[in-house]
Every structure is written in C-alpha cells, then in structure tokens.
Amino acid sequence: MTMTMPTLLTTFRDRFPALADTVHLAACSIAARSTDLDQALTAMLDDLSRPIFWAAGEEHLLQARRRFAHLIGADTDQIAILPNASVAAYQAAAGLRWRRRRHLLTTPAEFPGIAHVWLAQRDRGAQVRWCGTSAGRVTTADYLNGITARTGLVSVPAVTYRDATRLNIARIADAAHAAGAKVFVDAYQAVGVMPVDVDALRCDYLVAGAGKYLLGLPGLAFLYARDPQGPAPTLTGRFGRVDPYAFDTTILDFPPHARRFETGTPSVAAVYAAVAGLSLIERLDLGAVRHHTQSLVSDAATRLAGQGEIVLLGGNADEQGAHLALVEPHAEAMAAWLAHRNIIVAPRAGVVRLAMHAYTTGEDVDAACEGIAAYRVGSRTRQRVGAAR
C-alpha cells in the first residue's frame, strides 16, 4: 500500500534516523542511509556465513529485477542488471550499426559517464552531434531541432544531472521514431522521486541506478530494453547466457530477453541494498512525492534568490527535477563548509545541488538556506573560511 502526504513526512522519514541531526540534500549523488539498508546489509552478512549465500544472492537479484520492472511499468524480461550506467550505455550502443543513420544526438548536459561511451562509438562509425549550449543548458526544443533523417540514436537525460532540467521525453521519442532513430534515456535523476513509465515515455532504452533516489548503494544499474532481441553484445559474461549455471566454456549463447546484456557477478551488497531501497520506494505515491519535491524546490529557490544567490531553474515547475542548482564557482568548498554543520549537499561542476526526496522537510530547506547565508558572511569577513570570493 502506498503512502500519501502528510504520512510521508512521519512514517517514511522515521526510516532514516540520521535525519534527526543531519540535513541530507544530496540524493542526486548518494542516497540517505535508512534502517532498511542497514537491515539488508546485516542480512547479507548473515547469509555470507551460511552455505546458502549464493542462492540468497540470486533470489535478491531476481527481486531487484522484478521490483524495478514494476516501478517503471516494464516486463521483467526487459530488464538487465549491470554494474553502472556506462556499461548499460555501451550495451545499448553495441547493438547499433552506424551505416546510413550515423548521427548520435546527445547534449553537453549529458552525464559524462554516458557521453563518453557515445564518443567512443566514433571508432565504429558514429558521428556525435550535440544539442543545447556548451555550458550544459538544454531544452526539449533543442532536441527536436537536432533530429534529422540521419539520426540513428537520440540520448536524452530524463532530468539533467547538473541543472535538474526535466525534458519531455515522449515528444523527443516521437520525433526520433518518426525519423527512424532509437531513444536512450538516462533516468538516474528521475526514478524514485517522480512517476516514470516506459510506455508513456516511449523510449527504447532506459537506465537508472540504485544508489541515488532509489535509496540503495552505488554499484548496480538497471537497463530497460524495449526489444532486447537483436545483435549479440560483445561485452558479455556468465550471466548473459541462456543457462548461467551450465558452466560450459565452449558455448556462447544469448537468451531472447534483456539478460543477454548482463556480464559477470554483480555487487552482492548493492543487490541486497537495491531490494531494500526499492521496497521503500514501492510504499510511496510517486505523484505525491513529485508534488512535494516541486514545492520544496520552489520554496528553496525563492528564498535563495532573495538572499542574492543565482539559482538555475527550468522554465516552469514541470521542467524541473527534484533538485536545484545554486551557482558557486567554489562548490566543493561550500559543500565541505556545510558538511561540517551536518548539512549534506552535492557539489558538481560549478554548482551546489540541493536535492529533495520524500523525507525532506521545510525545516531541512530552512537549515540549508541559513547555512548558505552564514557561509557567505564568513567568506567575506574571515580568511580561509569556505571559499574566498
């Protein structure tokens, strides 16, 4: 059964006891620690001391696959479990043949771990085309204007990692498909804090990871493939076989579902953590979570702007993800200063990101804004406090 507001801020927040004295606004980088995560890792250690460890790990792997598939409206056979988003992007690109449709459309706002995989496809004949500004700002219109008859793949973040720009994936996918192109979506900054349905998005591939808004650990990513049958990937391993337990060194076969993209043994700790995180997310009404985070982002942006800060926001609330980006050339220094005051934020490439989740409260936003104001005072009046400006 899902929970709605205001139950979210009582029952759900109670699963994160560290939030009693810490403001965690960094879910766009790393999840807050929950009691469910602790219990999952304790269970893994208990299983490790028993002969059932590998069987228990396999069961958790199956649960993670099923739970993520359900979360995004997919079939279990459309989900592959991989170590990270870069491997997922490589597996999607490896099945494409860069002949008549050589253009791979992406954006400087793409997460580097994805974009670098696309750049590596140039040796296979792909021609990378960029849309949006060189500073990393991009709109849905930029993508629509960049799609041509020569486009073979369109790679689009559901929400950009730096500025939290939320793009209209369905419109982009319709335009891409009309031109004969495939669509790859990085939903790392979306899944877990807003409804995500692959049929509504109409994408061909989607990747998301367990370690951010899905409340697990780094080391595990999910790849959705609408039609997983096609050319066999060249990066493979035992889990990509028809029968992973055949242990036949001489046979290289591929199942007709998304597990064909899998490689070797995944991080077992991350698998246990992913099941715990997904179990927490399943209890939420993600529509209510989306409304909650949008409200907090709006409040934080208004207050920070009133303090003289420069905040990057989308054109309207629907074009904004669950975090906001405060422009700060010395982002790491500000984040370190705030961390000493138990306010955890996520610095990245000239911005300090403040990420909201179902457990975030107005008091958390107040504490962050007050901390940022105090940092500004200190950096103007004392040497070596935070970042000198």
Side-chain angles (χ1 to χ4, degrees):
M1 187 174 79
T2 58
M3 296 185 294
T4 56
M5 308 298 291
T7 308
L8 287 173
L9 297 185
T10 53
T11 306
F12 190 74
R13 188 178 170 94
D14 288 345
R15 313 302 283 255
F16 301 84
L19 300 183
D21 55 17
T22 300
V23 174
H24 188 96
L25 297 177
C28 58
S29 178
I30 187 68
R33 178 179 172 181
S34 68
T35 54
D36 301 68
L37 174 64
D38 289 359
Q39 292 164 6
L41 296 181
T42 298
M44 184 205 70
L45 293 175
D46 289 342
D47 289 342
L48 184 61
S49 64
R50 298 187 291 168
I52 60 131
F53 176 68
W54 287 115
E58 287 287 333
E59 175 58 30
H60 279 76
L61 193 66
L62 179 60
Q63 281 195 47
R65 194 191 315 276
R66 286 175 174 169
R67 290 175 186 273
F68 182 77
H70 181 262
L71 180 65
I72 65 169
D75 294 331
T76 303
D77 283 349
Q78 294 174 306
I79 305 299
I81 293 181
L82 296 163
N84 54 57
S86 297
V87 174
Y90 177 86
Q91 296 297 65
L96 298 176
R97 299 293 179 259
W98 305 102
R99 296 187 180 114
R100 187 169 67 87
R101 301 181 186 278
R102 293 182 178 272
H103 291 182
L104 194 165
L105 182 64
T106 183
T107 174
E110 189 91 79
F111 187 71
I114 302 291
H116 294 165
V117 175
W118 303 150
L119 290 173
Q121 303 310 305
R122 293 179 297 189
D123 288 342
R124 299 180 55 234
Q127 297 175 359
V128 177
R129 295 291 184 266
W130 304 95
C131 67
T133 71
S134 60
R137 299 292 282 176
V138 67
T139 66
T140 298
D142 292 329
Y143 269 98
L144 297 177
N145 292 333
I147 295 169
T148 72
R150 298 194 64 194
T151 305
L153 179 68
V154 176
S155 176
V156 52
V159 173
T160 61
Y161 80 98
R162 181 179 181 269
D163 300 345
T165 300
R166 183 171 180 254
L167 297 162
N168 190 324
I169 303 298
R171 284 191 66 196
I172 295 169
D174 286 345
H177 291 154
K182 300 287 188 181
V183 177
F184 181 96
V185 173
D186 176 4
Y188 237 111
Q189 300 292 344
V191 175
V193 280
M194 62 185 70
V196 172
D197 183 280
V198 288
D199 286 337
L201 295 180
R202 300 190 279 283
C203 55
D204 300 287
Y205 300 97
L206 180 142
V207 65
K212 301 185 191 298
Y213 292 108
L214 287 182
L215 306 177
L217 290 176
L220 199 75
F222 301 96
L223 173 64
Y224 158 81
R226 181 171 296 279
D227 182 10
Q229 299 188 52
T234 55
L235 177 63
T236 190
R238 182 172 73 88
F239 280 85
R241 304 285 68 77
V242 172
D243 180 5
Y245 299 96
F247 293 100
D248 190 328
T249 308
T250 66
I251 294 178
L252 183 66
D253 55 13
F254 293 88
H257 44 71
R259 207 183 68 224
R260 68 196 283 115
F261 298 117
E262 296 184 8
T263 55
T265 305
S267 166
V268 179
V271 171
Y272 275 71
V275 173
L278 287 164
S279 298
L280 279 171
I281 296 298
E282 285 174 354
R283 305 177 188 188
L284 302 175
D285 177 341
L286 290 178
V289 173
R290 171 70 174 154
H291 178 77
H292 176 63
T293 59
Q294 283 180 297
S295 177
L296 291 174
V297 165
S298 177
D299 290 347
T302 298
R303 180 161 177 179
L304 289 169
Q307 294 175 195
E309 301 291 343
I310 300 173
V311 178
L312 304 178
L313 290 175
N316 57 59
D318 194 51
E319 296 174 354
Q320 184 70 28
H323 73 267
L324 61 83
L326 181 156
V327 176
E328 171 50 52
H330 307 287
E332 297 284 350
M334 177 186 277
W337 192 92
L338 292 170
H340 282 299
R341 288 147 183 83
N342 293 330
I343 301 170
I344 312 302
V345 296
R348 190 73 79 227
V351 299
V352 169
R353 299 176 298 170
L354 280 65
M356 317 301 172
H357 210 311
Y359 51 68
T360 311
T361 65
E363 289 76 14
D364 292 334
V365 171
D366 290 343
C369 293
E370 291 165 6
I372 290 167
Y375 172 81
R376 294 302 186 203
V377 171
S379 65
R380 285 196 298 268
T381 59
R382 295 191 299 274
Q383 292 295 315
R384 303 182 67 81
V385 176
R389 294 171 62 83

